[in-house]
Amino acid sequence: MKKVKQSLITAGCVSIGSQLYINVFSDDFIIALAVVIFGICLQIYPALNPIKLSILTGICSPFFRCIVLWINSGNWAESADAALPDIIFYFCFGIIFYFLYYKNPNKNYTLFWTTLVLCDALSNAAELAFMNGISYVNPTVLGTLFMIAMVRAILILMICLAIDSYKSLLTKEEHELRYKKLMVMASVFDSEVYFMKKGIIEIEDVMKKAFLLYHEMDNEKFPEELHTLTLDIAKDVHEIKKGYIRVIKGLQDNFLSDIKITSLSIRDLVNILETDVEELIKQKNKDIEFITKLQEDFIVKEHYILMSILRNIVINAIDAIPGEKKGTIQLELWKNKEEQSYDFRITDNGSGIRKEDMDIIFAPGFSTKFDEATGDINRGIGLTLVKDLVEKEFNGSIVVETQADEYTQFDVLIPISCFEEN
């Protein structure tokens, strides 16, 4: 079905292009734009058989031209005599192109241009010979035909190169977008793995306490049911721990290891973050401008961790800006010489943080994100994760300033020694 559609598009475009032409040698012999369109279609639709395509085009284009001439002149016979020889041109063009280029396994632009020149010149020569006899096609006529063919072939080649360049650009942009999304996804998974590893430590503690309780109950006079229950709890917790380990190993071995990048410049990291943030803003259907101002550039080895820190703070900022408000989120970076650290400052003009919540915003489970429609509440690990990563992974600090209904400002201070100069 796809090939049929492409063939019909080619035949239609060539038929329309046949109306843009100049007369050469005689009033009935024309040099039309249709040949340029036909050559381009042969290149951009490589799966189409040139012979079949030339037969379809060789019928449609002359017939369309014949109708146009008949409408203008009112003489059907003269119109047919002028238009129908074009059939010879397209048939010859398709056959020559089929054997010289389509069947050749070593296709390249040089061969394509050479084939176009030969197809154009020889097909025009065949059409002239059909109209006026073989003797009419002398060296002078052939020379003119080859000159016209080379000019048209150059035009076709330039357009095809431009189309290929455009396709390559689109493909490159698509790959870059996928890469950026993959990087963000990896940072999210990396954060989840970090929390799961912390969870394993807590699970081990629960398992030890349950097993200790089992032994203590063994020495005391407790009902057998409680004695058995404590052992079952210890076993179940152990199975949960094994499940966590399997998930972590699966993520690290099958996903994170495949896209592990040893280092990334801060500018590239922020560029990836920008792409993700713009997508999040669109999804939430908010009018928010995300601005970045970087005064420094350096290499980040733990880029997944830094991405998680910045992304979580920015997501909180997006959620803090009411849907009806014109929002602004700004990420700034500069070197704090006094603290010997890099200062990542993220500011938003959202609803701010209540004073009574300031002391608990980093507490596990704290969240202000409650959906009244569904009753769902955010699990509240974003800022907990941020503080944990800043302090334990980078040995840094985080400071928050806020004003109700005006702004919230996060300053993440990370020692310069954690990064490499670019």
Side-chain angles (χ1 to χ4, degrees):
M1 190 65 186
K2 184 179 179 181
K3 289 184 178 181
V4 173
K5 184 179 179 181
Q6 292 173 346
S7 299
L8 292 174
I9 290 173
T10 301
C13 291
V14 170
S15 298
I16 295 171
S18 67
Q19 298 310 301
L20 300 174
Y21 60 87
I22 58 173
N23 295 99
V24 180
F25 302 122
S26 67
D27 291 339
D28 294 334
F29 185 78
I30 63 170
I31 299 297
L33 181 65
V35 181
V36 175
I37 297 172
F38 188 63
I40 293 170
C41 290
L42 286 170
Q43 176 66 8
I44 64 176
Y45 300 140
L48 298 181
N49 186 302
I51 295 178
K52 293 180 180 178
L53 186 62
S54 66
I55 291 173
L56 176 64
T57 307
I59 294 172
C60 293
S61 179
F63 182 72
F64 181 77
R65 183 175 169 234
C66 182
I67 292 175
V68 173
L69 291 173
W70 174 61
I71 292 173
N72 292 330
S73 66
N75 190 319
W76 177 258
E78 289 183 1
S79 300
D81 288 341
L84 294 182
D86 288 354
I87 296 174
I88 303 297
F89 173 85
Y90 286 107
F91 284 11
C92 292
F93 196 108
I95 293 170
I96 298 170
F97 191 89
Y98 178 84
F99 288 105
L100 291 184
Y101 187 80
Y102 182 78
K103 296 293 289 182
N104 195 319
N106 302 314
K107 295 180 176 65
N108 54 61
Y109 275 118
T110 302
L111 177 63
F112 179 62
W113 183 82
T114 305
T115 303
L116 287 176
V117 172
L118 291 172
C119 288
D120 195 337
L122 296 179
S123 298
N124 273 326
E127 183 180 349
L128 275 174
F130 176 80
M131 293 169 61
N132 304 306
I134 296 177
S135 60
Y136 186 84
V137 185
N138 55 50
T140 302
V141 171
L142 275 175
T144 303
L145 292 178
F146 270 99
M147 287 294 294
I148 294 170
M150 284 190 284
V151 171
R152 284 204 290 205
I154 290 173
L155 182 58
I156 293 170
L157 186 63
M158 289 174 63
I159 295 173
C160 288
L161 285 170
I163 292 172
D164 284 350
S165 297
Y166 180 66
K167 286 181 178 178
S168 298
L169 180 62
L170 290 179
T171 302
K172 182 181 178 182
E173 289 179 350
E174 184 180 349
H175 286 171
E176 286 181 353
L177 183 60
R178 288 179 179 175
Y179 168 77
K180 289 176 180 179
K181 288 182 177 180
L182 193 63
M183 288 291 294
V184 173
M185 191 186 303
S187 72
V188 173
F189 280 143
D190 203 53
S191 302
E192 295 297 333
V193 168
Y194 178 84
F195 258 104
M196 291 176 75
K197 285 180 178 178
K198 284 191 65 180
I200 286 177
I201 297 173
E202 295 170 359
I203 288 171
E204 285 180 344
D205 186 53
V206 173
M207 184 180 66
K208 288 177 182 177
K209 288 177 180 178
F211 201 67
L212 179 63
L213 180 61
Y214 165 75
H215 279 293
E216 289 294 325
M217 295 180 77
D218 194 33
N219 298 327
E220 301 290 341
K221 292 183 180 180
F222 287 95
E224 184 65 25
E225 293 82 2
L226 288 178
H227 188 251
T228 305
L229 182 61
T230 53
L231 181 60
D232 289 341
I233 291 172
K235 289 179 179 178
D236 291 343
V237 172
H238 181 65
E239 290 301 316
I240 293 172
K241 174 190 169 185
K242 285 166 56 178
Y244 265 55
I245 292 173
R246 282 195 294 269
V247 172
I248 291 171
K249 184 173 175 57
L251 284 173
Q252 290 180 328
D253 292 349
N254 300 320
F255 181 75
L256 295 175
S257 62
D258 291 341
I259 58 171
K260 200 70 176 177
I261 299 172
T262 55
S263 60
L264 197 68
S265 77
I266 187 62
R267 293 188 181 276
D268 287 340
L269 186 148
V270 171
N271 182 259
I272 293 170
L273 178 64
E274 281 183 299
T275 302
D276 182 55
V277 170
E278 287 170 3
E279 187 68 28
L280 286 172
I281 291 171
K282 286 181 181 178
Q283 289 176 5
K284 293 179 179 290
N285 196 27
K286 290 189 174 184
D287 184 12
I288 299 175
E289 183 181 11
F290 183 53
I291 303 169
T292 59
K293 295 181 180 180
L294 308 182
Q295 297 181 15
E296 305 291 337
D297 192 19
F298 46 82
I299 300 300
V300 185
K301 287 189 175 180
E302 301 297 337
H303 49 84
Y304 289 148
I305 297 175
L306 184 58
M307 174 68 82
S308 295
I309 292 169
L310 300 178
R311 186 173 182 271
N312 272 286
I313 297 176
V314 172
I315 288 175
N316 275 352
I318 294 172
D319 291 334
I321 298 173
E324 69 279 0
K325 186 175 183 178
K326 169 67 176 177
T328 302
I329 301 173
Q330 183 165 286
L331 168 60
E332 299 174 89
L333 167 64
W334 70 88
K335 185 181 290 185
N336 190 323
K337 294 182 180 179
E338 292 181 5
E339 299 288 340
Q340 280 299 295
S341 64
Y342 286 116
D343 193 332
F344 297 83
R345 174 172 290 176
I346 300 174
T347 311
D348 69 76
N349 64 340
S351 55
I353 303 171
R354 296 183 304 178
K355 287 184 178 180
E356 57 267 31
D357 291 336
M358 284 296 291
D359 293 334
I360 58 172
I361 58 172
F362 295 110
F366 172 78
S367 177
T368 59
K369 302 169 191 174
F370 176 73
D371 191 330
E372 295 181 358
T374 63
D376 293 335
I377 187 169
N378 187 278
R379 58 182 175 151
I381 65 169
L383 289 181
T384 305
L385 172 68
V386 167
K387 191 172 188 295
D388 213 50
L389 292 177
V390 170
E391 294 179 350
K392 295 184 178 179
E393 298 296 323
F394 288 118
N395 196 30
S397 61
I398 183 167
V399 180
V400 185
E401 291 183 17
T402 187
Q403 182 69 44
D405 299 320
E406 290 189 18
Y407 77 95
T408 300
Q409 177 180 293
F410 283 83
D411 280 279
V412 177
L413 301 173
I414 299 179
I416 294 173
S417 58
C418 291
F419 307 112
E420 295 180 4
E421 291 296 328
N422 190 3

